[in-house]
Structures are given as structure tokens and as C-alpha cells.
Amino acid sequence: MRSALLDARASGVIVVGDAGVGKTWLAGKVAAHLDPRRNLVVRAKATEAAARIPYGALAHLLPADPAPGEGPRLDPEAVAGPGRRLVLAVDDVHNLDPASTALIVDVLGHGGARLLAAARTGAQIPAPLDELYRDGALHRLELGPLSHAQTALLLETVVGGQVDDAGARRMWRIAGGNPLFLRELVLAGMLTESGGVWRCAAGPTLTPRLRELIE
């Protein structure tokens, strides 16, 4: 993802994954490690509600008083300052309204910005951004669920001890390798320690948060 953002021939990257797989977290980590002297990261979250409002996702980046007779424009240098690249970190990019999408594509086309976006698996990415991907201007990264081995390693790192293989495999099967569901299962007391080994309980306690996620 970092390479895609620094590639002079590319316009950025879209990371795609299921809810809870960690795409927003990963994008945030990538953004945090960009050199702030050369990059200014500005965040936007596209929502279903804002999708009905022109420029709803980018309103906080636009000038309050656009020039008469012109639509809103986004000047990367005015936002980021001279010598720095504007990095648009857009969460749930599949919810972008058409006007915001057009504005982003226009800015990317002039080479003054990069896009660092996250989208949900199966959601329809706006056609102009999908076209940039098909043309090779945008990279796309599919972020899948954790494997059994990765799940076991994550659980042992979190609890700070050994997790028996049967328990790790059961946790992996229940959560489907989804880090968010794994986290909530641990918080619900699904793992218990006995004799220095963490084992999987017979069943999770349905906390309000866990019930909400299941629904």
C-alpha cells in the first residue's frame, strides 16, 4: 500500500475486505507512517447518509466561498501546502456521492494527490474509480480473513500465553478468521486460562456488543 502511494505512475490504492477484517486499521497505519514533511493525510468517511448530499464526504475540505459560477474545487497545494502531497484517506469509498467521486478523480488526474481508500467486499465501487483501477492507475489490495495459524498467533500474542490448538481452531472456525469477531469473543470470555494454557470455553457469553455484531 505504501509503495502504491509513493509510485509516481499510480494514483493510490484501494484496500477491499469484509467488515471487521481490519482494512480501516491497516489504512490508518499506512497513513501514519508516511513522511509528514512530504505528505499531508486528510481523512474522509463516506456514509450512506452523506451519499445523498453532493460533496457530502468532502465538505470539510472545500472552500467556504467558491468562485461565482464555478463548482467547488479542491486545490491540493492550498490544502497540503507547497512541497507536500495531499493524501485523501477515504473510508467506505463505495458510499461516495457522485460529486465527491468526480472531484477526487479530477484531483488525481492532475497528479497533485493520492487516494488511500477502503471499501467493503461485494460493494460497488464508484465507476470512475473502478475505471482508474482497470486502467492501472489505482492499485487494489484484497484483505482476506486470517488463517488458522495466523489466528493462533494473534490469540497467543493478545493473551500473552499458550493457546491450545483445539481452542485456537474452534475460535478460528467460529469467527471465520475475522479479527473483529475474534476480539469480541476474547472480550466475552471465550478463552480461559488453566495451568498456564488458554483454552476455549464451551460457548461465548452473548454480550450486547457481540450480539450486535452477530445481528
Side-chain angles (χ1 to χ4, degrees), residues 12 24-25 50 90 101 115 120 129 131 146 157 182-183 208 215:
T24 301
W25 181 90
V90 183
T101 301
L115 178 65
R120 187 169 296 185
L129 294 179
E131 186 175 339
L146 301 177
T157 301
L182 280 171
R183 176 181 185 274
E215 290 174 349

Side-chain angles (χ1 to χ4, degrees), residues 11-12 88 103-115 129 132 138:
S11 297
L88 296 169
L103 193 60
I104 289 174
V105 171
D106 179 66
V107 171
L108 296 179
H110 287 87
R114 293 289 186 273
L115 178 65
L129 294 179
L132 287 180
L138 276 179

Side-chain angles (χ1 to χ4, degrees), residues 37-183:
R37 296 169 298 180
R38 298 185 177 184
N39 302 276
L40 175 67
V41 179
V42 293
R43 290 172 170 79
K45 182 172 179 60
T47 65
E48 292 183 7
R52 298 190 292 268
I53 305 172
Y55 306 104
L58 303 179
H60 60 295
L61 302 177
L62 301 177
D65 300 310
E70 294 185 7
R73 296 188 62 188
L74 183 59
D75 184 347
E77 186 171 348
V79 177
R84 288 205 295 178
R85 177 185 290 124
L86 177 64
V87 178
L88 296 169
V90 183
D91 198 16
D92 290 339
V93 71
H94 51 276
N95 287 327
L96 271 181
D97 62 276
S100 292
T101 301
L103 193 60
I104 289 174
V105 171
D106 179 66
V107 171
L108 296 179
H110 287 87
R114 293 289 186 273
L115 178 65
L116 174 60
R120 187 169 296 185
T121 298
Q124 185 65 46
I125 294 175
L129 294 179
D130 189 54
E131 186 175 339
L132 287 180
Y133 161 68
R134 296 181 185 280
D135 290 342
L138 276 179
H139 293 265
R140 180 184 175 113
L141 172 66
E142 298 283 347
L143 192 61
L146 301 177
S147 67
H148 165 240
Q150 292 169 330
T151 297
L153 177 59
L154 176 59
L155 290 174
E156 291 187 343
T157 301
V158 169
V159 301
Q162 179 185 352
V163 178
D164 77 312
D165 185 67
R169 187 172 294 276
R170 184 161 185 259
M171 293 279 282
W172 168 68
R173 188 174 64 251
I174 293 173
N178 186 295
L180 177 60
F181 285 114
L182 280 171
R183 176 181 185 274

